[in-house]
Amino acid sequence: NAGVTQTPKFQVLKTGQSMTLQCAQDMNHNSMYWYRQDPGMGLRLIYYSASEGTTDKGEVPNGYNVSRLNKREFSLRLESAAPSQTSVYFCASSEGLVRTGELFFGEGSRLTVL
Amino acid sequence: GNSVTQMEGPVTLSEEAFLTINCTYTATGYPSLFWYVQYPGEGLQLLLKATKADDKGSNKGFEATYRKETTSFHLEKGSVQVSDSAVYFCALSGGATNKLIFGTGTLLAVQP
């Protein structure tokens, strides 16, 4: 029962390098999300996709791009990594509106930018 | 805009002690309110929720009541266990958006 799977779990980058975080869910959920978690700041929404083919900015989208590849997969790309993007990244999914439903989270990807 | 404020931690308790973690919110309209829990090394998972005023959410011995008059959703448990050690996040979802807004999280450490 995989749920939400993120790869990689750990990554170290140098400033200016690029990378893509992959996320896949096997629950046939419509909506998917990318959050970052930083000490003292909780979780902040980077981007989300309400349904296949759509994406929208969250609170902190600068420096990131996303692709909703299909209903299962939602990737997050850092084109030119900066030390300020050192964080733990979480992918999540929901069947419908989070107002009444539940977000299911992956285990997180810890990214360090030197 | 909408926001959530929760008490800073860490909160350190002995096993079987009573737990309260305060959460207040600012929102227009009638948001839904949630508590999520993050165990060490894991992602967040839903602990309980309430979707309208005066609703009480409960799960695993935890409870929280949606108080519109005080804009609060405090988390309580009568007798904590070591296994309850985790970070607890209060969150809200309101209006027409399909987004959750999280508080900063409160670390709970329960000692035997």
Side-chain angles (χ1 to χ4, degrees):
Chain A
N1 194 11
V4 178
T5 303
Q6 296 180 226
T7 56
K9 287 188 167 38
F10 300 94
Q11 184 72 48
V12 179
L13 292 177
K14 294 180 179 178
T15 297
Q17 288 184 318
S18 62
M19 77 158 297
T20 299
L21 297 175
Q22 307 285 355
C23 175
Q25 52 91 9
D26 62 2
M27 295 172 282
N28 202 36
H29 285 170
N30 288 314
S31 301
M32 298 185 73
Y33 311 79
W34 276 106
Y35 284 89
R36 60 179 288 173
Q37 183 180 26
D38 301 293
M41 303 192 75
L43 275 78
R44 293 180 291 169
L45 183 64
I46 305 171
Y47 271 93
Y48 70 104
S49 171
S51 61
E52 186 178 354
T54 69
T55 60
D56 287 286
K57 295 178 180 179
E59 300 171 72
V60 289
N62 291 344
Y64 304 95
N65 286 301
V66 290
S67 296
R68 184 74 184 267
L69 304 169
N70 48 55
K71 192 171 186 179
R72 290 187 64 247
E73 299 173 288
F74 189 39
S75 62
L76 178 71
R77 182 161 179 83
L78 286 70
E79 291 290 353
S80 178
S84 61
Q85 294 177 304
T86 293
S87 187
V88 180
Y89 292 85
F90 287 97
C91 179
S93 70
S94 65
E95 181 176 354
L97 291 177
V98 296
R99 179 176 175 79
T100 54
E102 176 178 355
L103 277 187
F104 291 83
F105 284 83
E107 294 184 347
S109 299
R110 184 175 294 275
L111 174 66
T112 301
V113 183
L114 303 175
Chain B
N2 294 349
S3 65
V4 174
T5 302
Q6 58 182 110
M7 63 188 291
E8 292 195 19
V11 174
T12 303
L13 295 174
S14 299
E15 207 163 23
E16 299 183 2
F18 185 86
L19 168 71
T20 300
I21 301 178
N22 291 337
C23 172
T24 57
Y25 68 90
T26 301
T28 54
Y30 302 92
S32 294
L33 300 173
F34 306 83
W35 279 100
Y36 277 78
V37 58
Q38 183 181 29
Y39 297 104
E42 299 183 9
L44 282 73
Q45 55 188 273
L46 179 65
L47 180 61
L48 54 84
K49 68 179 180 182
T51 57
K52 61 182 187 296
D54 299 325
D55 267 3
K56 177 185 285 187
S58 61
N59 186 25
K60 299 181 181 180
F62 291 89
E63 294 183 339
T65 300
Y66 188 159
R67 302 282 189 202
K68 189 164 177 62
E69 63 276 14
T70 54
T71 62
S72 65
F73 193 55
H74 304 322
L75 182 68
E76 297 182 335
K77 187 175 186 183
S79 176
V80 293
Q81 306 300 312
V82 172
S83 57
D84 293 326
S85 298
V87 180
Y88 292 82
F89 291 91
C90 187
L92 72 80
S93 177
T97 63
N98 194 31
K99 296 183 286 188
L100 274 186
I101 295 172
F102 286 89
T104 54
T106 301
L107 173 64
L108 170 65
V110 181
Q111 299 175 337

